[in-house]
Amino acid sequence: MLKKKIEDILNAQVEKEGYSSNLYLAMATWTEANGYGGIAKWFYAQAEEERLHMLKFIHYINEKGGHAIVPVFNAPPKDYSDIHTMFEEVLKHEEYITQSINDIVGMAIDERDFTTQSWIQWFVNEQIEEEAQVREILDKLRLLGKENLYLFDRDIMTLRAANAAADAGE
Ligand code: FEO
């Protein structure tokens, strides 16, 4: 059985992961509507991943005898100035998510909830990978400059596939 404090912080994370999914979906539809079909695919895939993260929290809370709550989500921004700024916002958002995962680790330790502490490690590692992937994208964007996104748009999913293969140890 989860302690109430732990259940509450995990439910707060359900909201954050769900918002992340909607944020990336909003970025996907903006990029698709603005002619960046490759970047849009990256964001649609990212939105799916975040939805799976939300579901992981939901299932864990319920399996541990709590009650996962589907919250109201704030609407993500619908307009974005440019691709560079968008990925800077993605990095900032992922750093915020990393901090909130760390807060869960801290509370699990304080409350001596070693099951949750162990379970949440998957997310600790996932955040390392997510931040690294976005930093790599930002590095590439800096190399390309603001006006030269054709090749980036074409290749971004290749980068994603290469990262996934590396994570899988291929
Ligand atoms: Fe599920 Fe990107 O944090």
Side-chain angles (χ1 to χ4, degrees), residues 146-164:
K146 284 198 190 300
E147 304 304 326
N148 186 10
L149 292 178
Y150 174 78
L151 293 177
F152 177 80
D153 184 62
R154 193 193 64 184
D155 293 344
I156 185 170
M157 285 304 281
T158 313
L159 193 66
R160 187 183 184 90
N163 282 329

Side-chain angles (χ1 to χ4, degrees), residues 13 16-17 20 24 46 49-50 53-54 57 93-94 97-98 101 122-123 126-127 130:
Q13 195 65 28
K16 289 173 187 170
E17 300 292 345
S20 302
Y24 297 147
Q46 200 64 24
E49 257 188 35
E50 297 299 353
H53 292 174
M54 177 180 68
F57 277 94
H93 183 71
E94 287 302 331
I97 296 292
T98 298
I101 296 289
W122 185 89
F123 283 94
E126 177 72 5
Q127 284 309 117
E130 292 216 342

